[in-house]
Amino acid sequence: MTIMTIAVAERTVEIGLLRALGAPRKQVLTLFLAEAMLLAAVGGFSGLALGYALAQLLHALFPALPVSTPWVYAVLAELIAVSVGLAAGVAPAGRASRLDPVEALRAE
């Protein structure tokens, strides 16, 4: 949630400009929620790739060690990562969508 809060704070002028140009609150909300989900998905995928690489390295070092990850668990882990990103992005996205355009443009 902290990262998305910082993203809203850093992009206050951009949000104000979007709102001043007529972007509805729903569009700003959708923009930030999509960004939060994308960041979480990339982070989840990176974690899965790193975990898979480490598991293969362990298997190469210790061939007797059985290493396997069912794809169902990998997909479930990615879904959980995206869900957490969505949950963490709701409050900052809501705050961004409620910004007054004039005040947001003055923030710089």
Side-chain angles (χ1 to χ4, degrees), residues 4-102:
M4 288 308 297
T5 302
I6 292 169
V8 169
E10 288 177 348
R11 295 167 57 190
T12 302
V13 175
E14 177 187 339
I15 295 164
L17 187 58
L18 282 170
R19 297 280 290 135
L21 291 174
R25 288 180 54 190
K26 185 177 179 179
Q27 186 176 9
V28 174
L29 182 72
T30 303
L31 175 74
F32 277 89
L33 287 178
E35 180 179 340
M37 287 175 36
L38 180 67
L39 287 172
V42 169
F45 183 74
S46 298
L48 284 171
L50 180 64
Y52 181 77
L54 287 174
Q56 293 307 312
L57 177 66
L58 277 174
H59 184 64
L61 293 174
F62 306 105
L65 183 66
V67 177
S68 69
T69 303
W71 286 104
V72 174
Y73 293 147
V75 170
L76 187 61
E78 188 65 22
L79 288 174
I80 290 171
V82 171
S83 298
V84 168
L86 179 63
V90 167
R95 198 167 325 126
S97 70
R98 287 188 300 273
L99 282 176
D100 178 43
V102 175

